């Protein structure tokens, strides 16, 4: 079992920044990949970013590339999503997820564990 807890969401003006955290517990994550997804009301869940725990390889959705950065803290078993130059269309509930697959993936069904989500609201 892997437990994931997100934090750091809130209200921010367009152009501002926010950093989300995902604390993981239950098992070592050395063989896992971590992902961030988001979902707005009435919209499909969409991929945001992914990171290979071992080695730190990353993958980003085109919509956030250059603005968002995914990173990890090995000692704290924590994954971060630094969000800069935020836009109103970034407004959504953001979810942290963990996958046992070796390769990075943008598909939600490839992730095995999910956090409860944290709300991010970007005002114009």
């Amino acid at each position: 079992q892997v437990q994931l807890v997100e934090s750091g969401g809130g209200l921010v003006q367009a152009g501002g920044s926010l950093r989300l955290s995902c604390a993981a517990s239950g098992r070592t994550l050395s063989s896992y990949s971590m992902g961030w997804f988001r979902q707005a009301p009435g919209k499909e869940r969409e991929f945001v970013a992914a990171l290979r725990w071992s080695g730190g390889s990353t993958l980003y959705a085109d919509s956030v590339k250059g603005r968002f950065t995914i990173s990890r803290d090995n000692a704290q078993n924590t994954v971060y999503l630094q969000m800069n130059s935020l836009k109103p269309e970034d407004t959504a509930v953001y979810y942290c997820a963990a996958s046992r697959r070796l390769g990075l993936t943008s598909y939600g069904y490839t992730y095995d564990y999910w956090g409860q989500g944290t709300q991010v609201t970007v005002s114009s």
Side-chain angles (χ1 to χ4, degrees):
Q1 282 281 311
V2 173
Q3 293 80 46
L4 305 173
V5 180
E6 303 97 331
S7 62
L11 175 64
V12 64
Q13 290 185 318
S17 298
L18 208 59
R19 188 174 80 160
L20 306 182
S21 299
C22 174
S25 63
R27 291 183 180 179
T28 179
L29 299 175
S30 61
S31 63
Y32 285 67
S33 293
M34 307 297 296
W36 285 98
F37 292 78
R38 65 188 183 186
Q39 186 168 26
K43 305 295 183 180
E44 292 185 348
R45 178 181 60 192
E46 66 174 333
F47 170 76
V48 176
L51 172 146
R52 182 85 56 76
W53 192 267
S54 179
S57 299
T58 59
L59 179 69
Y60 295 94
D62 289 341
S63 60
V64 306
K65 194 173 299 181
R67 299 189 299 122
F68 291 10
T69 303
I70 187 171
S71 62
R72 73 193 189 284
D73 184 326
N74 290 329
Q76 297 294 322
N77 272 0
T78 300
V79 177
Y80 303 96
L81 185 68
Q82 178 66 47
M83 305 184 293
N84 299 325
S85 301
L86 283 163
K87 306 173 181 179
E89 51 262 45
D90 294 318
T91 295
V93 176
Y94 283 70
Y95 296 92
C96 178
S99 172
R100 288 191 171 96
R101 295 196 176 202
L102 292 177
L104 293 174
T105 175
S106 62
Y107 300 104
Y109 69 83
T110 64
Y111 288 79
D112 304 290
Y113 304 98
W114 295 81
Q116 83 289 346
T118 185
Q119 177 71 49
V120 172
T121 302
V122 184
S123 64
S124 59

